[in-house]
Amino acid sequence: MAEKYVSEAVIGRLPRYYRKLCELEDRGIERISSLELSREMGLNASQIRRDFNCFGGFGQQGYGYQVQKLKSELVSILGLNKTYNAVIVGAGNIGRALLNYKGFSDQGFYIKAIFDINPDVIGTSLEGVTVLSVFEFEEYVKANNINMGVICTPAGTAQDVCDMFIRLGITAVWNFAPRELSCPPNVEVENVNLSDSLYILAYRMNENNHEA
Amino acid sequence: MAEKYVSEAVIGRLPRYYRKLCELEDRGIERISSLELSREMGLNASQIRRDFNCFGGFGQQGYGYQVQKLKSELVSILGLNKTYNAVIVGAGNIGRALLNYKGFSDQGFYIKAIFDINPDVIGTSLEGVTVLSVFEFEEYVKANNINMGVICTPAGTAQDVCDMFIRLGITAVWNFAPRELSCPPNVEVENVNLSDSLYILAYRMNENNHEA
């Protein structure tokens, strides 16, 4: 059961814990101490205990963590035991890559449809999915059980798309456009900004070389 | 001139400042106070001053920041006045999307070649670029001036690819594989984990709904 006011840093580590536990399970490991887990993850053992304490703690003194049980706790905390129906707006490079990636549906994330505004792209088929017109968006979302919107448009269009999502009751936005979105507090936005990530890498290359 | 020991949080904000300054310049704004900038960005004005002070500070008391000058300082801090020659390993969905995206070269990041291990993919042409075999990788990197490697392989192959980069002197790694990489301290790794980002969005959706 997730409690409120968990810090961004802790939330950011939850997927890493989940991935590590999947890996431990694959390796046939049933039990792990917080010390062993800390070595596996390059994190401090007390940090790990504190992180899990945000959700009630799952270890037993002197026994450690049961891998399968802890993994299923994380599945529940992250909401990966649910189904998410997503639509993509923007059938460019990133939109297509996300549509084609099969790994998301294994975790309960289904990309149901992709929309674009370009008449040359509308009606074409991408991996068996036909690109729909944004003018059909409202009707589609109302008729289907859509609870997540993915923005893969250029920066200039992103806020309009986001506003359309909100108007239609979509309150979870995965934003790949390089634009910060204004949203009411009940809307959750997760940004993936590839250029920002590349700039940070460039910064570190230069910081390291003392060539700035 | 970048100084050492700038915090992760400050580094993470540098691309946002850069993007905002590009936008202000496009809007024809020549000068901005830290208060106005803080409103534009949803950040605290003293935070902004502290961030810029990490690099020597660029404002003038009672005058604010000159947009063009500050932007060019950020270009220099981020190393965007240089040229980066990158290669991609893994011609799957993400590898292809990155290859096709034209925006990176505008900032000095050139994707010179893409490599794969799958014989069905090697030799095919993607946007005018022929997919090369990973067996040609060493020769290619030695013959060309490559200083950045992009990993778009499945998780299981990522560390091997990273080790190959390091052996050939590539010390900047942009990693899209869902695997944490072990690297010597002189190697800079920037991870983009799309699944993690999606898990965090799912977490927030459930935290908000109190349905966990």
Side-chain angles (χ1 to χ4, degrees):
Chain A
M1 189 74 69
E3 291 177 10
K4 291 200 84 177
Y5 310 120
V6 177
S7 80
E8 291 294 302
V10 176
I11 296 170
R13 280 190 292 272
L14 294 174
R16 286 183 60 198
Y17 288 123
Y18 171 69
R19 276 192 283 121
K20 178 53 76 175
L21 289 159
C22 292
E23 186 201 317
L24 293 171
E25 198 179 56
D26 287 347
R27 280 156 56 190
I29 295 168
E30 291 178 8
R31 205 170 88 179
I32 193 163
S33 69
S34 55
L35 186 66
E36 288 165 323
L37 189 57
S38 75
R39 284 184 187 140
E40 287 269 350
M41 297 193 64
L43 287 172
N44 195 296
S46 70
Q47 170 91 81
I48 291 177
R49 283 191 298 267
R50 261 182 288 129
D51 285 355
F52 291 157
N53 279 340
C54 296
F55 304 95
F58 309 117
Q60 213 176 307
Q61 195 81 42
Y63 181 89
Y65 298 104
Q66 283 182 275
V67 169
Q68 206 168 27
K69 188 162 170 286
L70 184 53
K71 184 189 147 191
S72 83
E73 292 282 0
L74 278 162
V75 164
S76 161
I77 289 168
L78 288 167
L80 300 181
N81 48 355
K82 300 188 178 177
T83 296
Y84 302 91
N85 291 324
V87 286
I88 297 174
V89 177
N93 297 316
I94 287 292
R96 281 183 230 187
L98 296 175
L99 184 72
N100 290 346
Y101 181 65
K102 300 301 170 214
F104 297 137
S105 59
D106 298 342
Q107 304 292 348
F109 298 91
Y110 296 94
I111 295 173
K112 307 296 279 187
I114 186 162
F115 296 83
D116 207 288
I117 201 160
N118 180 352
D120 295 342
V121 173
I122 294 164
T124 60
S125 181
L126 300 172
E127 296 276 312
V129 179
T130 302
V131 180
L132 303 176
S133 162
V134 282
F135 297 108
E136 300 171 71
F137 188 80
E138 181 163 343
E139 196 181 354
Y140 185 92
V141 168
K142 284 181 175 166
N144 295 274
N145 185 24
I146 302 303
N147 55 1
M148 188 181 279
V150 188
I151 302 179
C152 297
T153 66
T157 324
Q159 185 65 53
D160 290 344
V161 172
C162 184
D163 293 345
M164 177 175 76
F165 286 174
I166 294 167
R167 196 160 38 77
L168 296 170
I170 296 173
T171 57
V173 180
W174 204 20
N175 177 37
F176 286 78
R179 175 64 50 98
E180 268 132 83
L181 301 170
S182 310
C183 292
N186 68 317
V187 175
E188 302 295 340
V189 178
E190 175 71 14
N191 295 300
V192 179
N193 193 320
L194 296 182
S195 291
D196 282 16
S197 169
L198 198 50
Y199 297 165
I200 289 171
L201 183 56
Y203 170 82
R204 293 226 179 89
M205 287 169 80
N206 290 292
E207 181 187 48
N208 218 37
N209 293 343
H210 291 277
E211 288 175 2
Chain B
M1 189 74 69
E3 292 177 11
K4 290 199 85 177
Y5 310 122
V6 177
S7 80
E8 292 293 303
V10 176
I11 296 169
R13 280 191 291 272
L14 294 175
R16 287 182 59 198
Y17 288 123
Y18 171 68
R19 274 191 284 123
K20 178 54 75 177
L21 288 158
C22 291
E23 186 200 317
L24 293 172
E25 198 178 54
D26 286 348
R27 280 157 55 191
I29 294 168
E30 291 178 8
R31 202 169 88 176
I32 192 162
S33 69
S34 56
L35 186 65
E36 288 165 324
L37 189 56
S38 76
R39 284 186 187 139
E40 287 270 350
M41 297 193 63
L43 288 171
N44 195 296
S46 70
Q47 170 90 79
I48 292 176
R49 285 190 296 268
R50 262 182 287 128
D51 285 356
F52 291 157
N53 279 339
C54 295
F55 303 95
F58 310 116
Q60 212 175 308
Q61 196 80 42
Y63 182 89
Y65 299 103
Q66 283 182 276
V67 169
Q68 207 169 27
K69 188 163 171 285
L70 184 54
K71 184 188 147 192
S72 82
E73 292 282 0
L74 277 161
V75 163
S76 160
I77 290 168
L78 288 167
L80 301 182
N81 47 356
K82 300 188 180 178
T83 295
Y84 302 91
N85 292 324
V87 286
I88 297 174
V89 177
N93 297 316
I94 288 292
R96 280 183 230 186
L98 296 176
L99 183 72
N100 290 346
Y101 181 65
K102 301 299 169 216
F104 297 137
S105 59
D106 298 341
Q107 304 293 348
F109 298 92
Y110 296 93
I111 296 174
K112 307 297 277 187
I114 185 163
F115 295 84
D116 207 288
I117 199 160
N118 180 352
D120 295 342
V121 174
I122 294 163
T124 61
S125 180
L126 300 172
E127 298 275 312
V129 179
T130 302
V131 180
L132 303 175
S133 161
V134 282
F135 297 108
E136 300 170 71
F137 188 81
E138 181 163 345
E139 197 182 351
Y140 185 92
V141 168
K142 283 181 175 167
N144 294 275
N145 184 25
I146 302 302
N147 55 1
M148 188 181 279
V150 187
I151 302 179
C152 297
T153 67
T157 323
Q159 184 66 54
D160 289 344
V161 172
C162 183
D163 293 345
M164 177 174 76
F165 286 173
I166 295 167
R167 196 159 37 78
L168 296 170
I170 297 174
T171 56
V173 181
W174 204 19
N175 176 37
F176 286 79
R179 177 62 52 97
E180 268 133 81
L181 301 170
S182 308
C183 292
N186 68 317
V187 176
E188 301 296 339
V189 178
E190 175 69 17
N191 295 300
V192 179
N193 193 320
L194 296 182
S195 291
D196 282 16
S197 169
L198 197 50
Y199 297 166
I200 288 169
L201 183 57
Y203 171 82
R204 293 226 179 90
M205 288 169 78
N206 290 290
E207 182 188 47
N208 219 37
N209 294 341
H210 291 279
E211 287 174 4

